[in-house]
């Protein structure tokens, strides 16, 4: 059963009642977070641009803990775990993934900027076309990506 739906430009994330995140749609820039799958049985996950281009049926986004919130930008995605950690993946062209670089991530990657903030947890994320916003439980908002 699906509890939440998050829509991007050409991809969608679904949060199940099991707190797992599922992805469907275009994966040209890794925005589904499923890496790639090779072979007729779609086995063998890879983390490169040779990834599957599109999914017509939802697949679980592997490697994530239980999720409380997610967001879709145009070509990137974010998720917040139940324990307050943030993960992002997809195109990072303008630094919108929050990893301090402009690299594309084909699989979810935890944002290291929030590690070590003892007792402070991220509670929500939002995404625009080329930017991301992160809200913690103290009411602080962090932004990354294109700002023009």
């Amino acid at each position: 059963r699906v509890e939440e739906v998050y829509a991007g430009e050409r991809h969608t994330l679904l949060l199940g009642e099991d707190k797992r995140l599922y992805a469907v749609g275009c994966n040209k820039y890794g925005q589904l977070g499923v890496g790639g799958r090779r072979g007729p049985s779609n086995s063998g996950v890879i983390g490169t641009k040779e990834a599957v281009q599109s999914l017509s049926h939802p697949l679980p986004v592997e490697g994530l803990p239980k999720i409380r919130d997610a967001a879709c930008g145009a070509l990137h995605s974010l998720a917040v775990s139940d324990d307050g950690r943030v993960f992002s993946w997809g195109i990072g062209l303008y630094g919108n993934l929050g990893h301090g670089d402009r690299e594309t991530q084909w699989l979810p990657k935890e944002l290291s900027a929030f590690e070590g903030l003892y007792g402070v947890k991220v509670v929500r994320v939002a995404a625009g076309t080329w930017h991301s916003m992160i809200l913690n439980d103290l009411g602080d908002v962090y932004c990354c990506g294109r700002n023009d």
Side-chain angles (χ1 to χ4, degrees):
R1 187 174 148 222
V2 175
E3 289 190 345
E4 296 284 344
V5 177
Y6 310 94
E9 186 174 305
R10 294 186 303 169
H11 74 291
T12 302
L13 297 177
L14 308 165
L15 183 60
E17 67 181 350
D18 59 358
K19 299 298 182 188
R20 290 190 71 189
L21 201 61
Y22 299 84
V24 65
C26 179
N27 193 45
K28 186 173 182 180
Y29 299 100
Q31 60 266 48
L32 298 183
V34 297
R37 300 188 187 275
R38 291 191 249 204
S41 65
N42 278 341
S43 61
V45 173
I46 57 172
T48 71
K49 67 180 183 177
E50 292 142 12
V52 72
Q53 294 293 304
S54 181
L55 292 174
S56 58
H57 299 289
L59 272 182
V61 181
E62 301 291 345
L64 289 174
K66 290 186 178 187
I67 297 299
R68 77 163 64 174
D69 190 36
C72 296
L75 303 171
H76 72 289
S77 302
L78 300 110
V80 180
S81 66
D82 272 351
D83 62 359
R85 294 181 289 152
V86 184
F87 300 82
S88 66
W89 59 93
I91 196 166
L93 184 62
Y94 297 101
N96 46 300
L97 297 182
H99 298 293
D101 59 29
R102 294 173 179 235
E103 299 296 317
T104 294
Q105 297 295 325
W106 293 89
L107 298 168
K109 181 178 177 183
E110 186 173 354
L111 273 68
S112 61
F114 295 95
E115 290 176 13
L117 297 177
Y118 301 104
V120 178
K121 296 182 181 188
V122 171
V123 293
R124 297 289 309 257
V125 288
T129 303
W130 296 113
H131 70 284
S132 300
M133 301 179 74
I134 300 160
L135 171 69
N136 71 19
D137 59 356
L138 299 176
D140 300 319
V141 177
Y142 301 88
C143 302
C144 55
R146 194 169 181 175
N147 67 353
D148 60 351

